[in-house]
Structures are given as structure tokens and as C-alpha cells.
Amino acid sequence: YNKYDLDRKGFEMKVKAKDFIFLAEIFVSLILFQIMFSIFTMGFNPTPYWGAEMAIVGLVSLSVASLIFFVRIALPGKGGKVGYGIIMGATTVLFAAQEVYYALFGTFFTVYSMINSAQITEFMDVIFINMWEQKIPLVLFFAVGIIEIVRGVKKDFTYADEERRKKKVTMLITAVLCVSTFLGSVLTGSVKSEDPMSPYQNLYGTGEIQGSVRCCGLLGAMGIDFWKLVLGWEPKIEAGEPYVETDSEDNVIEGLDFVRLAEEEEDETISTMHEYFGSVEPTEKNEKTGIFEGKNLILITGESFTDFAVDPEYTPTLYKLQTEGYTFSNFYNPLWGVSTLDGEYVNLEGLIPKPGVWSMKESSNNDLPFTLAHQMSKLGYAVKAYHNHSIYYYQRDKSHPNLGYDFKGQGREYSFTDSWPESDLEMIDQTTSDYLTPDENGEIQPFHIYYLTVSGHLEYNFYDDDMAVKNRDAVEDMDMSDACKAYMAANIELDKAMELLLERLEEAGELDNTVIALAGDHYPYGLSSSEISEFRGHQIDETYELYKSTFILWTPGMEPETVDKLSSNMDILPTLSNMFGLEYDSRLLMGRDIFSDSEGFVVFKDKNWISERGTRDDLLEEDEEYTSRVDKKVADMFNYSALILDENYYSYLSPYIK
């Protein structure tokens, strides 16, 4: 007893032991935040790495707790209280905001989005509605945060002059603890693995923040995201695959010799990219090559559009286009990190969006020779694009002209009725004369038009969704929940827009010479899984089936055709390029021509995938070698898509692209 008493007194001479009890309280509050966050967002889904993941979350939380504690005791008087209150308050707000964001968009925002999202105020009414719906999680987060802030502010960390040594020792121990636990978390996640679900790949690979949250917790994920953004992080790539010979039957650009380009290139990254794309198997020309050559093209990205928005009773025009055109029965529309903007990026550029940034915005100054606008403008087409919401949102006023379009919409040459969301019907009504008016010779220039719709945007209700309210009477007889009715009512506006579009094309004598292509930007995440299950008629699988969708491709007089091949919206650009007989290089896009003999393949933002042999989850146990090989293919797709964006890679090929 005496020895223990002496040891305790000796310890008290150097530090105040009770101060570290407060550090433990901060740590516990952060762990509690993370547990609640997991419950209210992604849940707990055990992985083979659950032990490492728990260790990383614990170490990161202890490191952050040590940092907060250090600030509290290091700053004198009120400074410590204010600093502590700001950090704990910001941490509370971060967890709460990410929970609301996830409930709204099905993913988490990044540091890049925080910096660039001043325009989010346009959607404050939607945000407030969602905050009310998430009131229980918010109350719990703020209850824990406020309690911890009050306790921390009330605590007395005043050190008398004779106790300065104790303060210095306490600060030193805290600093060492902060740094050592941070390094411990990094080392735990640095165990090399090619598995896309591993902590290593989420720390060092190209991946979405959602995977980082699962592996490292929210605080760790935001730290990784910040680190990659500040450093301008790019993936590490290695060459080594053999070159693939091409011939005149392949969809490649004649004269594009990747072997020679790699040998002559001094930049190691660009040289390795040449080697990689030279090793990609091109797709061959096929029976669908050039069947639409010379026709007009109207391409539409439909906000939250999916296959169950197509109904013979409620959306008869969409049903007509679907059943009289190509029916893609095995088509998927994955959700990416920046929802609509990334969905557009995939539809229009055929690449995987780079996680953590707005890829479309970042491509604003890049060479983009394979977009439909650039390809078709070279053939003499008028290329125009329209959007019925603000063209400045996500800085589309910069990105879309660089895609090759004369881009107009709300805020530039058009002023649509002030509503939320705006009317697709009104957009079609106001814009068709822009490209269907004959010139002085009585001729209409061949055209490629791109529409980005908004009428199908969430929230799906009958009190502040103006499109749902407008078309409410049409869905009163639906035996479904109000949210499902509102979703269909919103898409009735899109159907009316398509009906008017066909009428205007026919009046101008251009209908028979026009192809209509329509795909969604993402699944309707404004509907809950149970509400989507209502449409499906069964409980859906949220890993794969949630993203099942459709791609409408139609021209008058065509023979209806069902296409069972596995495909996704990443395949739209190469498929249309082939069907219109455009000169493009199939090796330089991540999507594949759906009508080619290439394997059907779908990839998701967490690097999960479906091949013609099955889903990754099923094949993981059945054929580990095949799964590892496809995992490597998916990692390459992510890495080289990111490098195409970061390095402006197509500009290196400009001498060969006419």
C-alpha cells in the first residue's frame, strides 16, 4: 500500500491524472458518434477486414480526441474553452450533416464538395424537409455533442505557476499519444492488398469516400479525403500488359500507335498510360455499325429516371419509345459520388468519375474529342444542350461548352417558370424552335441535341414537389404509397415533354430522321428501398438490383428488339458512336459498345461489379482466381479514368485525332 501510494504521488507530481479522464470522455463521445453514425447510415456489414477496420476507427478516434484535449489544455483561459467548443461543435455538425446528406443522396460529401457547394442554398427547402425526417439522429448527435461541450467548458484546467511542469508533461504525453495513434492507424491500413474492399485500397487506391467511411470511420475518411485533395493525389500505375494488335475491323483510330508513343514519351506516367491503352482489347465493328449514320440525335439524361417510370397508363409516350425501340433488359445505372453530375459524366464521357472531386467540372479545360458533340460537330451537325434548372449549378456553364455544346437554359437565354422542380414540358416547348426552324433556304441543319431534365427530382410528395402536385390527379387511382405516386406524377411531366418533342419533330418533318436516346443519371434515391420494392413487387436486393434501370433507344419505323446483354450507362457513348458510324477509339473509353462481342460488364462506385459469369459476391467464393483478375481490371478502370482526367491525357493524342 505504501509503495502504491508513493507511486501515485510521484505520478501526480508530473501530471494531473484526472485530466486524462476528460481525454477518455472525449474519446468515448467520438466512438459513440461513430456507432450512431453507422447505425443511421450504412449499418454494420462485417467484412474480412473487420478487425483492422475496428482498430483503425479506434486509433483515429483516440488521435482526434488527443488533439481536441491538447487544444483545451494548451490554450490559456477562455482561449482553450473557445477552441475546444469550436472543434467539438464542428465535429458534431460534421456527423449530423453527413447523416442528413447520406439520407438524401445515398452517399457522403467530400472536402471538395464542401468547398464548392455554395449553391446548395438553392435546395434549402429540400434539406430542411430531410432534416425534419432525420430529427431523431440529429437530436442524438447534438445531445451528445452539447453535453460534451458543456462538460469540457466547465472543467478547470488552470495550472498554478508551480504546476507548469505538470502542464508541459501532460501536453507532451498528449502530443505523443495523438501522433502515435495516428501513425498506428496508417500502419494498420498499410497492409498491402489488391482486394478493393481492403483498408489498403481505401487508403492508397482510387475509391469513393463511402468505402473509406466503412474502413476508417467518418473522421478517418474525411482525413484521407483531405490528404488526397491537398496533395493532388494520383493513383500509382504499373505497365506490363502485352500490346494488342488491331485491324481495320476494330473501332480504333487509324495511325494511333501506342507502342511508338510509349517509346517516345519522356513523362513516365504518360508513357505507362500509352502502354496500358495499347494493351486494351478493342471492340470490333458489327452489324449495328453506322445504322444511324446521317440521322439526328436527341440524347436525354433524365433526372432519377428508371425503368419503373415507364408505364402504359401513366407514361404512354415513354412506353411507346421503350416497346417500339430497343429494350435493354439487363441495363444498370450505378450511383456515383456526385449523383447527377457524375451520372452525366458517365453518360457523356464513357469514363468512371474520379472520386472526391467534380469530374465534369475538372474536365472543363481538357481535350474531350470523343464526346458526341465534338464528334458530330465535325460532321456539320448543330450541337446544342439545354437544362431547365440553373446552368451555373455545378459550374455546368464551364463544363458543358467544353463538351462541345452550345449550352443554354435557366439563366442563359431562357427563363422558365419559378417552381421546384422546373417543368421538362416547358423546356421542350421553349427550346425546339432553336433547332427545328428552317434557314433561309428552307432547310434544317442536321442536329445533335442534349437535354438534362429536372422534373423527376426528389422530394417525392404532394406539398412541395410542384411537378408531382401538377400531375397529382393522374395518379390518384394508383394503389401505392404517396411517395411512389409522387414519383410517377413527376415523371408524367417528362412523358408530356417527350410527347410534345415527338409532335414538334413531326411538324418539322424531322421525326423519321431522328434517334431518341434516354437514360437516367442515377436510380431514384429519393425513394426508400421499401418504396422501390413497391414498384418491383418484391423486396429488392440493395447491392445490385437497386441500380437496375433501362436505356431507351428509338427511331421511327425500327424493328423492336430486346437486348439481354449486361450493360450500363457507361456503355452509352461507345454504343451510339458505333451506331452513328463515328470515328472513335474503343480502347480509350471505359464503357463498351453494347452490340459488340465484348463481355457484358457493370462496375459500381465501391469497385463491386457484375460480369456475365455473375456478381462479385457470388464469384468470390466460387472462383477466387477469376475474381482477383476482374478486381485488377476494375482497379485499372478507376485508376486510368482518374489519370485521363488529371493528366488531360487525350491532349497527348490530339495529332492523331482528326
Side-chain angles (χ1 to χ4, degrees), residues 404-435:
Y405 293 107
D406 176 15
F407 184 48
K408 306 173 184 177
Q410 188 82 295
R412 178 182 287 171
E413 297 195 28
Y414 289 95
S415 179
F416 304 111
T417 301
D418 184 16
S419 64
W420 177 249
E422 292 90 347
S423 168
D424 296 342
L425 175 61
E426 187 177 357
M427 176 171 63
I428 296 297
D429 183 38
Q430 290 195 33
T431 58
T432 50
S433 61
D434 198 20
Y435 55 89

Side-chain angles (χ1 to χ4, degrees), residues 483-501:
C484 293
K485 288 182 179 181
Y487 174 77
M488 187 59 76
N491 277 280
I492 286 175
E493 193 70 9
L494 172 62
D495 190 76
K496 290 177 178 178
M498 298 307 298
E499 180 183 20
L500 180 61
L501 178 60

Side-chain angles (χ1 to χ4, degrees), residues 4 138 167 180 187 190 202 239 247 276 280 304 313 386 391 435 441 453 461 510 547 598 602 624 631 637 640:
Y4 169 78
L138 292 181
K167 181 177 180 179
S180 61
L187 290 173
S190 297
N202 282 285
D247 58 41
Y276 169 76
V280 174
S304 299
E313 179 180 355
Y386 306 95
I391 65 163
Y435 55 89
N441 298 317
T453 75
N461 56 53
E510 292 293 328
Y547 308 102
S598 64
V602 177
E624 187 174 341
D631 281 347
M637 291 173 69
Y640 285 96

Side-chain angles (χ1 to χ4, degrees), residues 140-157:
L140 292 174
F141 280 124
F142 280 102
V144 172
I146 291 171
I147 289 172
E148 195 58 37
I149 290 171
V150 170
R151 287 173 60 84
V153 169
K154 284 185 175 181
K155 286 186 179 293
D156 182 16
F157 291 97

Side-chain angles (χ1 to χ4, degrees), residues 13-79:
M13 287 178 63
K14 296 177 182 178
V15 299
K16 291 182 178 180
K18 65 178 182 178
D19 291 349
F20 287 94
I21 296 175
F22 177 56
L23 170 59
E25 291 176 1
I26 300 173
F27 171 69
V28 170
S29 68
L30 296 182
I31 291 295
L32 186 56
F33 273 147
Q34 186 57 55
I35 291 172
M36 292 192 298
F37 188 73
S38 297
I39 291 172
F40 293 124
T41 56
M42 297 189 298
F44 297 95
N45 298 306
T47 73
Y49 307 97
W50 67 270
E53 291 169 357
M54 290 181 64
I56 292 171
V57 172
L59 288 167
V60 169
S61 298
L62 185 53
S63 180
V64 174
S66 300
L67 177 63
I68 296 172
F69 177 66
F70 184 90
V71 170
R72 179 66 182 88
I73 64 172
L75 297 178
K78 292 183 179 179

Side-chain angles (χ1 to χ4, degrees), residues 281-296:
E281 190 79 37
T283 57
E284 294 183 350
K285 297 174 183 177
N286 49 68
E287 62 179 8
K288 294 294 193 292
T289 301
I291 64 168
F292 293 151
E293 189 170 355
K295 285 181 175 287
N296 306 311

